[in-house]
Amino acid sequence: MKTYDIEVQRLKALRHDKGVFEIKLDALVLPRPPRADDDDPSPGTWLRLPVEQARALQSLLKQQITELDKLNPRSRRSGRC
């Protein structure tokens, strides 16, 4: 498995279509060699977000999820389904 470090530079847009969120962003993507000093022995990709970008992403996701909830009938909004 290839691993990467992904650093988000700027969020540009967020939309949902057919159950999938699409995020347009500027990001720096660098290959990450496996390191022996990592706490987690399993390989994986890391996503790094500055706090302001994380807050913006959270806000955008909340907006999109609210829009999705409005499309569901009232009987499915309770979260019991």
Side-chain angles (χ1 to χ4, degrees):
M1 167 189 273
K2 293 183 180 181
T3 60
Y4 298 92
D5 281 331
I6 303 169
E7 184 177 322
V8 174
Q9 304 290 319
R10 189 173 85 181
L11 296 171
K12 293 183 169 185
L14 176 82
R15 69 179 185 158
H16 64 274
D17 185 34
K18 299 177 185 160
V20 175
F21 284 104
E22 295 179 343
I23 303 171
K24 185 175 182 181
L25 53 89
D26 289 336
L28 178 64
V29 180
L30 299 170
R32 182 174 190 244
R35 295 184 229 163
D37 63 342
D38 281 345
D39 293 336
D40 186 8
S42 62
T45 296
W46 287 88
L47 174 64
R48 295 179 185 193
L49 290 168
V51 172
E52 62 273 4
Q53 297 292 342
R55 290 185 190 278
L57 179 58
Q58 179 186 24
S59 176
L60 291 169
L61 284 169
K62 281 182 179 180
Q63 276 181 295
Q64 293 294 317
I65 291 170
T66 300
E67 287 179 27
L68 283 173
D69 285 344
K70 288 179 185 176
L71 298 175
N72 287 335
R74 285 189 178 263
S75 63
R76 301 187 117 196
R77 289 187 202 169
S78 66
R80 296 182 196 166
C81 296

